[in-house]
Structures are given as structure tokens and as C-alpha cells.
Amino acid sequence: MRTVLVTGPGGAGRTTLAAATALAAARKGARALLLTTESSAPETVLGTSLGAEAPTPIAPGLHARRIDPGDRFRREFLAFQERAGAALDLLGAAPLDEDELTELPGSEDFALLQALRAEHTSDAWDTVVVDMPSAAETIRLLALPNQVRRYLRRLLPPERQAARALRPVLAQLAGVPMPAQKLYEAAQRWETELSAVQRVIDDPGTSVRLVTEAGPVAAANLRAIRAGLALHGRRTDGVVVNRLLPTGSADPFLAALSGSQQTALKALREEFPDVPVHEVPHLGRDPQGVDELDALIDGPAGGTVDTGTGDTGETGDHDRNGETAGPRPDPWTVEDRLAADGLLVWRVPLPGAERRGLGLVRRGDEIVVTVGRFRRIRTLPSVLRRCTVSGAGLRDGVLEIRFSPDPDLWPKSD
């Protein structure tokens, strides 16, 4: 299944382009679904109201679904409250009623990820297009499953669950269920759910598509966004430049504005030499309804909104027919330079990253990499845990972290 996560700076028209991308897939015969958490904008763009419980038919082959994070939060919280009833009674806590529950910050992120996982495993779609939040929020959202799993492993280490065999005996002696058992059961449910979400995010058929307008700061903004996506191993399959004015206008104002857009477009192509940059014309209005979305698909630029995988130059996980060819390999690779330089080098692809704002810290068996406002924590491969960090450098969009074998930990040769 193909999953396209559409994001970009705020106000660039990502909801409209997400809808057009899903429609383009449907026009090519795919069973396409548009997922969104927005309440009104998608309905305006599609020209119809959307349901939250089930996908709404929009056009032949195209459905759309609006995710209601508040409803999911209430259902999940009430289910948790029911499971933890004995522990709450023990603590003397009063349960909350459904009508007094309001979703907490972050609920929308979890609702979107859960819906994406559910639709990905339903086998009902060939293409799922997700109208994501703004680009910075999207990067944090896609990093969320691994981050929460790491927190759970630190707070409730799986190896300590061996002691659970004693808890039924303790529960009988105390006369109430032991809260610790409930904690581990909840942690296991979260681990199962988050692992399933992570598999969808890491699937070779999942990619990110950036939507932007052709302004003077577009290339700089997208450079930072691309570096953040690369830090978390996310594949950018294309940049869609929205609302381009026609060139050659006799009106001096329009000619100057179009010229500025063409300059920005050139800068974007230079910034993304290995990623397709698609052009979408300005229709002179905000598209409303399927017929006007068709104008974006079949407009003067021709075929600019597409769901084909293409060759972005960033991955090699598709065969010549565009089909996925197994799990996507880890882009962070270890290069053996022991014979020549006495080093092991961990190569981290970071296209768009700059030395300014780049940070690197080792904490035990983990390494913390910071790129601008984005951060990722990764566990060192086993071979690098027996080494010390001896330096790092950013060259041609690749961070090279150099490791020297620790004499006290490195295996001795006979």
C-alpha cells in the first residue's frame, strides 16, 4: 500500500494538495483514502461533509475520513478508567463521567497515528493520503511512537516483569488487584500499539511530500524541514510548489510577482537536486469541489500532483515497477575503517543540515543528535558500544561520527 504524508509550512495549501493527491490516485484506478484531522477546510475543498466514524464516498474510488481526536480520547480514557477501577477505588479516587472529559494536548497526534495504523491494516485501500499538521509538528508526530516506547522501556523495563509471578499471591494477601500489574499490562498494550504504528511509518511505501509556496524564504524553510525529516529517517518523495502565477504577464505587478516566484522555484530546484519538484498553477481562486481539484491535476503544468513513487535518489527500496522490495534499510550505516585508520564511522544522512545548530552527545549506550530544533536519541549498534567517540564532521549532507575502539572493551586478538 502507498502512504503519502502531505505536510509543509502553514498556509501553503497542504490540505488542498492532499485532497488533490488522493483524487489523482483515484483517477488512476486506485482505492484511495484521504485522512484529515481538520474540521472545516477539507469539507470546503471536497465540497461535502465528512464523517468521523467511517470514510465518506467523495468520487469514484475516493473516500475521505475526518478523525475526531476528542471522541477517541473519551473512549480511550473511559476504557482505561474501567480497567484501573480497582486501583482507583483503593486510592479513593472518584471516576470521571464522559460528559466532563475534554481531550488533552497531544490527543490529536495519537488519534491520527491510530487511525493511520487502522486504515493501513484494513486492506481496504491502495493509497492513503494523510493531511498532516504543519511540517515541524509532523516531524515531532512521526518521532512520537519511538520516543514513547523508549520512555516506557525506561520507566517499566521488560526484564522486571519476571516478578509478576509473585503479584497474584500478593493480590490474594492484600485482597485487591496490585496496581503494578495493571501498569505492566497497560505498558504492554501501548508497546503493541506503538510498534504497529512504527511499522506503518517505517514501511517502504510510506513517504513525506512537502507543499510550499514559491516565496523568498521557501528554500531556507524547507532545508531545515528536510534535515529534520532525514534525522528521523523519513523519506521525502517530492516538493509541490503551489499557486504559481503564469509567466509573461503584461501587467507589471503580476510580471514582477511571477518573476519572484520563478526565482524562488529555481532556488528550490537547486536545494533539492535529487527530489522531484512539482509545479501547481494558481487557479485564481481557492479550489472547492472535486471538479476544481481536477483542474489542479490536469492544469497547465500537467500531471504535477501524482502518487507515483518515482526515483527520488534518496532510497533504493523500489524495483523498476514501483513495487516495494522488502523492508527499508536503516539509512544510518557503520563503515569499517579499522584497517586503514583504526576507526569505525557511523554515517548519518542529513541532507539540508548545517554545521550551525548541529549537536552530538553520547550518553552511555545512546547517542543524542540535534539538528536545529529537532533531536533524536538512538541506541548505539553493539560494535560501537565498545568504542569511544573520537570526532565528527558534516560533509556533503552526511554526518560522519568517528569511533575509536576502547582498549578496555575491545576484544583482544591472539
Side-chain angles (χ1 to χ4, degrees):
M1 193 184 77
R2 186 81 172 90
T3 304
V4 184
L5 310 176
V6 180
T7 186
R14 63 180 183 274
T15 295
T16 298
L17 269 298
T21 301
L23 180 61
R27 294 293 193 229
K28 293 182 178 180
R31 299 170 300 166
L33 173 69
L34 173 67
L35 279 179
T36 181
T37 57
E38 299 290 337
S39 56
S40 58
E43 296 183 346
T44 301
V45 170
L46 295 170
T48 185
S49 60
L50 303 180
E53 295 298 325
T56 301
I58 304 298
L62 175 62
H63 289 70
R65 178 185 164 196
R66 179 178 59 80
I67 302 163
D68 183 353
D71 179 66
R72 180 183 182 275
F73 174 81
R74 286 186 289 272
R75 287 188 284 107
E76 291 289 331
F77 186 91
L78 291 172
F80 166 78
Q81 188 171 254
E82 182 178 353
R83 290 194 299 266
L88 294 174
D89 290 342
L90 181 65
L91 297 172
L96 297 171
D97 295 328
E98 181 177 359
D99 57 4
E100 61 179 316
L101 291 175
T102 302
E103 69 267 26
L104 297 173
S107 300
E108 183 175 301
D109 295 343
F110 284 105
L112 179 57
L113 291 172
Q114 192 275 338
L116 176 59
R117 180 201 61 78
E119 298 296 352
H120 196 273
T121 57
S122 69
D123 199 32
W125 317 105
D126 303 308
T127 300
V128 172
V129 180
V130 187
D131 176 20
M132 300 291 288
S134 63
E137 291 303 313
T138 290
I139 294 171
R140 296 187 180 96
L141 186 152
L142 296 177
L144 188 60
N146 265 338
Q147 289 176 340
V148 176
R149 292 172 69 195
R150 178 177 177 273
Y151 297 155
L152 288 174
R153 287 192 293 268
R154 290 290 297 271
L155 296 173
L156 297 170
E159 58 269 18
R160 295 186 185 175
Q161 296 188 41
R164 288 187 303 173
L166 297 175
R167 295 196 183 104
V169 177
L170 297 175
Q172 291 180 5
L173 294 175
V176 296
M178 299 301 292
Q181 175 69 17
K182 296 293 185 181
L183 284 175
Y184 278 108
E185 290 175 355
Q188 184 57 51
R189 282 191 294 271
W190 274 95
E191 171 65 26
T192 300
E193 178 73 15
L194 292 167
S195 296
V197 171
Q198 193 64 50
R199 285 194 295 272
V200 175
I201 294 174
D202 291 338
D203 189 277
T206 300
S207 63
V208 177
R209 189 162 302 178
L210 299 175
V211 176
T212 184
E213 288 189 299
V217 297
N221 284 342
L222 292 192
R223 183 186 309 128
I225 291 168
R226 187 186 186 192
L229 289 168
L231 175 65
H232 292 284
R234 306 281 71 88
R235 181 168 69 92
T236 303
D237 73 0
V239 176
V240 183
V241 186
N242 196 19
R243 305 185 183 121
L244 285 173
L245 296 171
T247 59
S249 173
D251 185 296
F253 174 80
L254 292 178
L257 187 56
S258 174
S260 176
Q261 286 187 333
Q262 291 302 312
T263 300
L265 183 60
K266 181 182 178 182
L268 283 168
R269 293 192 184 279
E270 292 173 350
E271 183 65 38
F272 294 87
D274 53 347
V275 175
V277 177
H278 305 293
E279 303 175 29
V280 174
H282 201 309
L283 299 183
R285 61 191 180 282
D286 291 329
Q288 297 185 24
V290 171
D291 291 341
E292 296 195 359
L293 288 177
D294 272 323
L296 292 180
I297 299 172
D298 304 320
T304 55
V305 180
D306 195 5
T307 54
T309 54
D311 182 7
T312 67
E314 291 191 10
T315 62
D317 54 12
H318 294 85
D319 64 20
R320 74 184 77 188
N321 297 315
E323 299 296 328
T324 56
R328 183 184 304 163
D330 187 350
W332 295 36
T333 58
V334 177
E335 181 180 347
D336 187 345
R337 297 184 190 170
L338 288 173
D341 305 316
L343 297 171
L344 295 170
V345 179
W346 207 7
R347 294 173 54 83
V348 183
L350 292 176
E354 299 177 333
R355 286 183 174 85
R356 182 183 58 187
L358 193 63
L360 191 65
V361 177
R362 178 172 180 176
R363 298 178 63 255
D365 289 342
E366 295 179 327
I367 199 158
V368 183
V369 182
T370 302
V371 179
R373 51 183 165 167
F374 306 109
R375 176 179 295 180
R376 186 178 185 186
I377 302 175
R378 281 207 59 170
T379 302
L380 293 170
S382 58
V383 68
L384 299 183
R385 296 175 201 171
R386 302 191 296 270
C387 302
T388 57
V389 177
S390 57
L394 183 67
R395 298 181 182 87
D396 300 324
V398 177
L399 174 63
E400 295 186 345
I401 311 172
R402 299 184 293 276
F403 290 81
S404 300
D406 187 333
D408 296 330
L409 301 175
W410 197 258
K412 303 293 190 298
S413 58
D414 296 331

